[in-house]
């Protein structure tokens, strides 16, 4: 993690806000902090996420600023819209400084036991595929069905995620059961295209297959069950749309397979 980026973030946010680096991606750095961006102190029992898109030196400064502003605003707007959707779980957005590339949101999830890291779906499935645990546990089944339902809700309402990997789904323990939240809408969009939906489903299926291959078929079946539940809850129209999405999903799979055969 480059110290330069942390220094840059601190220079904009000021010395009051202590940052702990959580992740660094290609486009953004993600920090956590106990300081609320605008409320007076006294809220330190809560944690917040600060997502920062630092300037890219290889881009022309004015183009870079325009891009940063557009992406930060785009992600914030989408998050704010999704937050209002009944039943859909996404982090609550707290602040956005599009000019400087900052998004603040509530911190979701917790540390998993035994050093399995943070409670995203990937780590959760790792934990359950460890040898002395039962990967077919009801907890896994119930959780994956709920994850599928979240994706179903997102798609049914006309949105696509754009980067639906198992680390972009975090699990929050609510009264003893794991509730999935969809995060990282940097590539998300308002889209009712079956192609985008098929690709979302495919990306998640590949993510599960590549990290949890021994149980992937079962896991993916549970995810699809949850996804289908949502569509099936909308009568004949839901059924028809589900058929369309699943058939496109299958086409995307076949394309993916062809590509991997050619190399
Ligand atoms: N609201 C949040 N609550 C808890 N952890 C989060 C939250 N947002 C992001 N993270 C953590 O930071 C990581 C990277 O954040 P993400 O938004 O996915 O950025 P990137 O574009 O770098 O992938 C996530 O995989 C997750 O572990
Ligand atoms: Mg991510």
């Amino acid at each position: 993690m480059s110290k330069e980026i942390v220094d840059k973030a601190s220079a904009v946010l000021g010395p009051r806000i202590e940052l702990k680096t959580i992740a660094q991606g290609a486009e953004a750095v993600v920090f956590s902090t106990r300081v609320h961006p605008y409320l007076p102190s006294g809220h330190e029992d809560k944690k917040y996420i600060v997502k920062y898109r630092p300037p890219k030196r290889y881009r022309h400064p004015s183009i870079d600023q325009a891009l940063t502003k557009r992406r930060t605003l785009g992600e914030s707007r989408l998050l704010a819209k999704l937050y209002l959707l009944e039943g859909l779980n996404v982090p609550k957005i707290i602040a956005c400084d599009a000019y400087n590339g900052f998004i603040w949101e509530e911190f979701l999830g917790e540390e998993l036991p035994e050093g399995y890291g943070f409670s995203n779906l990937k780590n959760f499935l790792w934990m359950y595929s460890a040898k002395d645990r039962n990967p077919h546990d009801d907890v896994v089944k119930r959780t994956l069905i709920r994850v599928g339902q979240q994706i179903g809700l997102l798609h049914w309402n006309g949105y696509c995620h754009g980067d639906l990997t198992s680390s972009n789904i975090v699990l929050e323990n609510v009264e003893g059961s794991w509730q999935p939240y969809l995060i990282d809408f940097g590539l998300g969009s308002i889209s009712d295209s079956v192609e985008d939906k098929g690709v979302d489903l495919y990306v998640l299926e590949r993510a599960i297959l590549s990290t949890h291959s021994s149980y992937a078929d079962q896991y993916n079946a549970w995810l699809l069950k949850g996804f289908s539940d949502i569509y099936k809850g909308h009568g004949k129209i839901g059924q028809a749309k589900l058929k369309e999405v699943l058939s496109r999903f299958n086409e995307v799979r076949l394309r993916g397979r062809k590509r991997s055969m050619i190399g």
Side-chain angles (χ1 to χ4, degrees):
M1 168 73 210
S2 122
K3 186 173 177 302
E4 198 192 329
I5 296 176
V6 185
D7 288 348
K8 195 137 213 162
S10 289
V12 179
L13 297 173
R16 190 176 78 97
I17 294 173
E18 243 174 78
L19 300 172
K20 190 176 149 202
T21 307
I22 294 203
Q24 174 162 30
E27 213 212 343
V29 186
V30 175
F31 304 105
S32 72
T33 181
R34 293 210 172 261
V35 186
H36 192 283
Y38 49 82
L39 290 179
S41 53
H43 296 261
E44 288 78 5
D45 52 326
K46 287 210 173 115
K47 272 208 279 187
Y48 307 96
I49 283 282
V50 181
K51 185 166 178 174
Y52 176 47
R53 289 178 164 84
K56 296 269 191 283
R57 257 205 293 250
Y58 55 81
R59 289 199 290 243
H60 187 281
S62 62
I63 292 174
D64 184 57
Q65 262 197 352
L67 274 176
T68 297
K69 188 174 156 196
R70 189 163 78 202
R71 289 178 184 164
T72 308
L73 258 187
E75 185 173 357
S76 304
R77 283 205 181 106
L78 197 56
L79 260 186
K81 278 199 186 112
L82 293 173
Y83 189 75
L84 298 177
L85 273 184
E86 181 93 32
L88 188 74
N89 300 336
V90 298
K92 180 178 183 172
I93 181 157
I94 292 167
C96 164
D97 172 0
Y99 182 80
N100 289 304
F102 287 93
I103 296 176
W104 293 65
E105 49 189 66
E106 65 176 327
F107 189 102
L108 296 162
E110 57 185 75
E111 290 282 337
L112 290 169
E114 301 156 46
Y116 277 100
F118 193 72
S119 61
N120 61 34
L121 183 61
K122 187 177 179 174
N123 292 340
F124 171 83
L125 292 177
W126 274 124
M127 188 173 82
Y128 271 96
S129 56
K131 59 179 185 317
D132 51 348
R133 273 211 179 71
N134 179 6
H136 302 298
D137 197 314
D138 250 16
V139 177
V140 182
K141 179 177 176 183
R142 277 198 300 269
T143 306
L144 286 172
I145 289 176
R146 279 193 212 111
V147 171
Q149 288 169 341
Q150 286 298 310
I151 301 162
L153 268 175
L154 183 78
H155 284 184
W156 174 258
N157 283 287
Y159 297 90
C160 285
H161 185 281
D163 186 22
L164 197 53
T165 61
S166 47
S167 30
N168 285 335
I169 298 167
V170 297
L171 301 172
E172 168 99 344
N173 200 321
V174 182
E175 288 160 16
S177 74
W178 292 103
Q179 299 297 337
Y181 281 71
L182 306 179
I183 64 163
D184 191 4
F185 283 88
L187 296 171
S189 58
I190 302 180
S191 164
D192 231 344
S193 118
V194 271
E195 173 71 16
D196 291 349
K197 292 173 185 170
V199 170
D200 265 0
L201 292 176
Y202 179 68
V203 168
L204 185 58
E205 181 179 79
R206 293 300 306 180
I208 301 284
L209 199 65
S210 67
T211 46
H212 314 285
S213 51
S214 345
Y215 312 109
D217 288 348
Q218 178 67 79
Y219 290 170
N220 282 318
W222 286 332
L223 286 168
L224 269 190
K225 181 191 176 329
F227 183 85
S228 304
D229 284 349
I230 296 296
Y231 275 74
K232 287 177 183 163
H234 287 88
K236 275 214 166 73
I237 296 175
Q239 294 270 10
K241 290 205 169 182
L242 177 63
K243 217 173 137 196
E244 257 185 87
V245 175
L246 294 183
S247 107
R248 183 60 69 99
F249 174 28
N250 223 8
E251 276 174 44
V252 178
R253 267 187 191 138
L254 293 175
R255 265 188 256 148
R257 214 164 289 159
K258 236 178 252 165
R259 192 173 314 154
S260 64
M261 264 167 13
I262 297 166

